[in-house]
Amino acid sequence: MTALLEVDGVAAPPRANGELVFAEPWESRAFGMAVTLAEAGLFTWDEFRDSLVARVAAWEADHAPGEEYRYYRCWLAALEDRVVAAGALDAVAVAERSARLAERPAGHDHADGDDHGHGHGHGH
């Protein structure tokens, strides 16, 4: 599937030296979910790419002055669009799950690879 990723244009993911670049752990998970769901047949890669291009265009047309462009925010919005369009979840469920995830404390993703001894039970 990654062979179908664009290397140029608005749908092309960020790269450094030809390798995909993720600024935060959630970005790589959103990337993996989109690839996995496309491979599973929930939507086609072309459908996802079209949703991504539409989300980038919407951001370009409507972003707040000074707002930083974040490719994977558009990616995640496109993924949510495809999941809803496929009927896997409705828009309310997506919004609720997104809100719950956004409420998680900073550092929950273990960006430094250490759980700081909190022992929260998901087996590292």
Side-chain angles (χ1 to χ4, degrees):
M1 180 60 62
T2 55
L4 297 175
L5 291 175
E6 310 236 347
V7 291
D8 294 312
V10 299
R15 294 177 189 263
N17 296 321
E19 297 293 321
L20 295 173
V21 174
F22 303 103
E24 299 178 40
W26 71 264
E27 295 175 349
S28 64
R29 287 194 295 275
F31 177 87
M33 284 191 302
V35 170
T36 298
L37 292 174
E39 288 177 345
L42 189 65
F43 48 79
T44 68
W45 197 250
D46 287 341
E47 290 170 332
F48 178 79
R49 186 185 59 240
D50 291 348
S51 291
L52 177 58
V53 169
R55 283 298 188 151
V56 170
W59 182 89
E60 289 173 342
D62 202 30
H63 70 279
E67 180 182 355
E68 179 184 359
Y69 173 70
R70 300 285 304 272
Y71 175 84
Y72 283 105
R73 291 207 188 277
C74 293
W75 180 282
L76 183 58
L79 177 57
E80 291 170 352
D81 292 343
R82 296 313 326 153
V83 167
V84 169
L89 290 172
D90 64 31
V92 172
V94 170
E96 288 172 352
R97 290 175 188 208
S98 294
R100 276 198 313 272
L101 291 173
E103 291 170 358
R104 289 161 77 170
H108 181 82
D109 289 327
H110 315 296
D112 62 1
D114 181 29
D115 75 359
H116 305 289
H118 295 295
H120 46 270
H122 59 247
H124 291 264

